[in-house]
Amino acid sequence: MEQTEIKMSGKDVSVSYGEKQALFDVNLDIPAKQVTALIGPSGCGKSTFLRCLNRMNDTIDICKVSGDIRLDNQDIYHRDIDVVELRARVGMVFQKPNPFPKSIFENVGYGPKIHGLANGKAELEEIVVKSLQRAGLFEEVKDRLYEPGTGLSGGQQQRLCIARAIAVSPEVILMDEPCSALDPIATAKVEELIDELRENYTIVIVTHSMQQAARVSQQTAMFHLGYLVEVDDTDTMFTNPSDKKTQDYITGRYG
Amino acid sequence: MMGEHTVKAFDEDLNFLISKISEMGGNAESMVARSVTALVTADKELGKSVVKDDKILDALEQEVDDHVVLLIARRQPMATDLREVIGALRMATDLERIGDLGKNVARRAFQIEDNLPPKKLLRGLQHLTNVSLEQLKDALDAFVAKDIEKAREVWDRDDEIDSLYTSLFRELLTYMMEDPRNITYCTHLLFCAKNMERIGDHVTNLAETIHYMVTGSNDIASENLNDL
C-alpha cells in the first residue's frame, strides 16, 4: 500500500458513560483527504468514536474518554487545546438536518463571523456564496438567501448544514448518518458532494447503509460491541472481509 | 460455514442458484458422456437426444441469468454472497459452453454414417473423454462442497488433458497418413478431441471460479506456490 498522510489517529481509545463502557481500546488512523466509513450495528460504538474526534462527548457529563486522539499529531484532549477552535477544524454534520432558525445566509455566515474569518461584509458574502457553491446548493437558493433555512427541503437543509460546516474552513468533516433522513435523490446529491469534498477535506462518516459505505469511502472500519473489529480499504472490506463478524454484518446475517 | 440471513428469502435465492448450477452441471456431464457414446456407436437417436437436451441447458442458463439480475437488484449482495452470485453467473456460462461442445460432438454421429472407424482409433478419444468428464465431475463436487483443495487439484490436472490431446492428435495424424480412407472420420475424431480439450479448459474456469467464490482471490495458481 502506498504511504498516506495520517490526519487523525486514535490510540487505545476507551469511552465510558458512567458505569457503562462503550468503547474498548480502539486504535484507528484516519488518512488525510480520504473518506473513512464507520460501520456496525446499533450500539457498537461507531458514533461514540466519531464524537471523540471533535470532543462532542465533552458535552455529556458522565462521559469519560481515555487514550490518545491526535489531529496532525497533536493531542486534542490536551489542556491547552481550545475546544471551540478544535471544532472549527473538525466540523460535524448530523443525522437530522439542523439549520438555525435564521436565514440561509446567516446559517452559513454565522460560523465565519464568530471565528473572525471575514473582514467586512463583502468577504463574508464571498465565504457564504463559496460554501453554498461547494455544497452544491447555491444555484437552488441564490434568489432566496435571506429566507429562513428551515423553509428548505430536507435534502437542501442537509446540504445547507454541510455548507455551514465547510464555511469555517475545517480540515476534517465528521458526518453522523448524514443521509438517513433523506430520500434517494437527496442522498445521491449528498454522496456526490462527499466525493467532491474529499479533494480538500478529510471525511469520517458513520452510516447504516452498507451500500453507501461501499460507494463513498476509501477506508472502512467495522465496530462491534465497543470494539474495532476490522479496518481495511473499502474495496476489500465489501468483497472479501477477513473477520467473520464483518462478514455476517455486511451480508445481513447479524443477530 | 455461514449462518442464515436475517431475511430468509435471501437464503432461498442463493440456494436456488446453487441448485440450478448443480442441475446444469449434471445435464452438461450427461450430454458430453452421451455425445461420445453416440459418436463411437453411430447411434443417431442418442445423438438426437443430446442435441435436444442442449435446449434445456440453454434455458437453465437463462434462468440463472435472470435470477442473478433480480437478486442483485433486490438484495445488493455483499462479500461472500456477492462472490457466490457472480460465481454462479460465470459457472452458468462455462457449463452452457460445455453443453454446446457436447452437442457439436453429438451432431458428428449423424455424419460418420455407417462406416464406423476401427476400434483402435476410438480408444484414445474415449480415454480423453473419460478424463475430461472426471475433471468436470470433480469440479462440480468441489462446487457443492466448497472444497478449494479439490478445485485446485482439478486446476492442476488440466495439463494432463492437454498432453493427452497432443498425443491423440499425433496418433490420428499417423492413421491419416497410413491410409487416406481414414481421413474423413479421423478429422471428425480430431474435432471431437479438440472439443474434449476445450471442455477441459472450461472446467479449469470452473475451478478458478469456485476458488474465487470461496476465498475471494482470483489467483488459484500463485496460492499453489505459496503452499509449497
Side-chain angles (χ1 to χ4, degrees):
Chain A
M1 225 171 115
E2 60 184 283
Q3 205 70 26
T4 42
E5 188 198 330
I6 300 302
K7 187 69 189 174
M8 293 194 81
S9 67
K11 227 176 154 198
D12 301 322
V13 178
S14 294
V15 178
S16 307
Y17 298 104
E19 292 291 294
K20 192 181 178 322
Q21 189 163 356
L23 269 189
F24 299 84
D25 301 318
V26 170
N27 289 290
L28 181 62
D29 287 340
I30 309 292
K33 295 187 180 175
Q34 284 192 21
V35 180
T36 298
L38 311 182
I39 62 168
S42 295
C44 67
K46 57 191 188 303
S47 291
T48 297
F49 183 76
L50 189 79
R51 281 153 185 277
C52 290
L53 298 177
N54 70 346
R55 294 180 57 173
M56 284 298 281
N57 288 329
D58 288 13
T59 57
I60 305 167
D61 281 342
I62 56 164
C63 180
K64 235 189 100 228
V65 179
S66 69
D68 185 44
I69 300 174
R70 287 170 182 270
L71 172 63
D72 288 335
N73 213 17
Q74 194 182 16
D75 180 4
I76 65 168
Y77 280 83
H78 194 274
R79 56 189 154 77
D80 292 343
I81 289 285
D82 175 354
V83 179
V84 175
E85 194 215 356
L86 170 72
R87 291 190 190 136
R89 290 177 70 192
V90 183
M92 194 154 189
V93 176
F94 297 87
Q95 183 171 1
K96 277 206 193 118
N98 54 350
F100 305 137
K102 303 239 174 205
S103 73
I104 293 169
F105 186 95
E106 283 172 289
N107 258 284
V108 183
Y110 180 75
K113 213 154 79 187
I114 62 157
H115 284 290
L117 297 176
N119 292 316
K121 201 166 181 298
E123 245 184 74
L124 185 63
E125 210 173 288
E126 195 190 316
I127 293 177
V128 170
V129 170
K130 235 190 199 151
S131 303
L132 285 169
Q133 281 171 337
R134 278 204 173 146
L137 189 62
F138 185 67
E139 285 305 311
E140 292 163 54
V141 301
K142 63 181 174 194
D143 300 324
R144 44 175 170 154
L145 286 177
Y146 296 97
E147 288 171 29
T150 46
L152 298 172
S153 76
Q156 287 172 327
Q157 284 187 19
Q158 194 59 303
R159 278 180 286 147
L160 177 63
C161 292
I162 294 172
R164 187 177 65 191
I166 58 186
V168 293
S169 306
E171 296 154 50
V172 181
I173 303 174
L174 310 177
M175 297 182 171
D176 196 352
E177 295 181 52
C179 299
S180 61
L182 305 185
D183 75 15
I185 309 277
T187 298
K189 283 185 181 162
V190 171
E191 286 183 7
E192 174 68 17
L193 176 60
I194 290 172
D195 210 41
E196 281 166 21
L197 292 175
R198 174 158 68 89
E199 247 179 74
N200 299 302
Y201 307 94
T202 300
I203 297 171
V204 186
I205 179 172
V206 163
T207 175
H208 274 143
S209 160
M210 299 305 111
Q211 279 72 31
Q212 180 169 67
R215 285 192 297 264
V216 302
S217 72
Q218 287 73 51
Q219 176 181 259
T220 299
M222 162 78 188
F223 287 76
H224 184 252
L225 298 176
Y227 291 91
L228 175 67
V229 169
E230 182 174 1
V231 54
D232 209 332
D233 64 80
T234 297
D235 292 350
T236 308
M237 203 73 165
F238 288 105
T239 56
N240 196 12
S242 328
D243 193 277
K244 174 134 188 346
K245 285 196 202 78
T246 313
Q247 178 90 258
D248 286 352
Y249 180 66
I250 65 174
T251 59
R253 287 177 172 90
Y254 176 80
Chain B
M1 269 321 217
M2 296 297 293
E4 283 176 2
H5 284 94
T6 307
V7 179
K8 298 234 167 29
F10 196 166
D11 286 325
E12 286 162 23
D13 278 348
L14 287 173
N15 289 337
F16 177 87
L17 272 183
I18 290 170
S19 75
K20 284 293 154 189
I21 295 298
S22 301
E23 194 180 339
M24 285 188 77
N27 281 17
E29 223 179 314
S30 145
M31 281 174 68
V32 173
R34 280 182 294 143
S35 72
V36 176
T37 309
L39 181 84
V40 301
T41 57
D43 185 339
K44 285 182 196 158
E45 283 310 308
L46 189 60
K48 254 186 222 158
S49 79
V50 173
V51 175
K52 232 168 92 190
D53 278 5
D54 191 51
K55 291 231 164 56
I56 300 175
L57 196 58
D58 287 353
L60 279 169
E61 191 207 7
Q62 192 60 50
E63 214 177 328
V64 169
D65 269 19
D66 294 345
H67 195 79
V68 164
V69 170
L70 265 180
L71 193 151
I72 290 174
R74 269 194 207 133
R75 319 227 178 262
Q76 293 102 47
M78 288 280 193
T80 43
D81 296 338
L82 180 59
R83 301 202 305 264
E84 223 163 78
V85 169
I86 296 302
L89 196 62
R90 282 196 213 156
M91 286 184 75
T93 308
D94 279 310
L95 290 169
E96 191 274 335
R97 290 293 300 143
I98 290 174
D100 280 349
L101 292 165
K103 180 178 73 175
N104 180 279
V105 172
R107 282 222 172 101
R108 292 179 196 278
F110 309 131
Q111 290 159 16
I112 285 191
E113 290 297 335
D114 298 323
N115 44 10
L116 270 179
K119 279 242 156 54
K120 60 174 179 178
L121 288 193
L122 298 172
R123 227 171 281 139
L125 177 64
Q126 265 168 330
H127 181 52
L128 177 60
T129 305
N130 289 342
V131 176
S132 295
L133 278 172
E134 190 74 17
Q135 286 276 87
L136 177 55
K137 188 183 162 297
D138 284 351
L140 293 169
D141 287 349
F143 166 68
V144 173
K146 295 192 170 155
D147 183 343
I148 53 165
E149 268 319 303
K150 193 157 203 166
R152 238 176 250 175
E153 283 163 25
V154 168
W155 192 86
D156 276 337
R157 269 202 307 267
D158 189 54
D159 289 348
E160 200 182 312
I161 292 187
D162 290 344
S163 59
L164 274 178
Y165 168 71
T166 309
S167 72
L168 187 55
F169 177 86
R170 288 212 192 92
E171 202 184 332
L172 289 169
L173 209 60
T174 314
Y175 291 135
M176 290 194 254
M177 288 192 293
E178 269 173 11
D179 186 344
R181 281 173 300 179
N182 289 338
I183 287 177
T184 307
Y185 41 75
C186 277
T187 307
H188 280 305
L189 296 184
L190 203 51
F191 274 115
C192 293
K194 186 69 202 163
N195 282 354
M196 292 307 131
E197 188 269 336
R198 291 289 303 147
I199 286 172
D201 291 344
H202 285 294
V203 171
T204 309
N205 287 349
L206 293 179
E208 283 167 3
T209 301
I210 293 159
H211 184 265
Y212 171 73
M213 289 163 103
V214 178
T215 66
S217 152
N218 267 314
D219 207 353
I220 194 169
S222 76
E223 278 181 32
N224 260 343
L225 296 176
N226 289 342
D227 284 349
L228 290 178

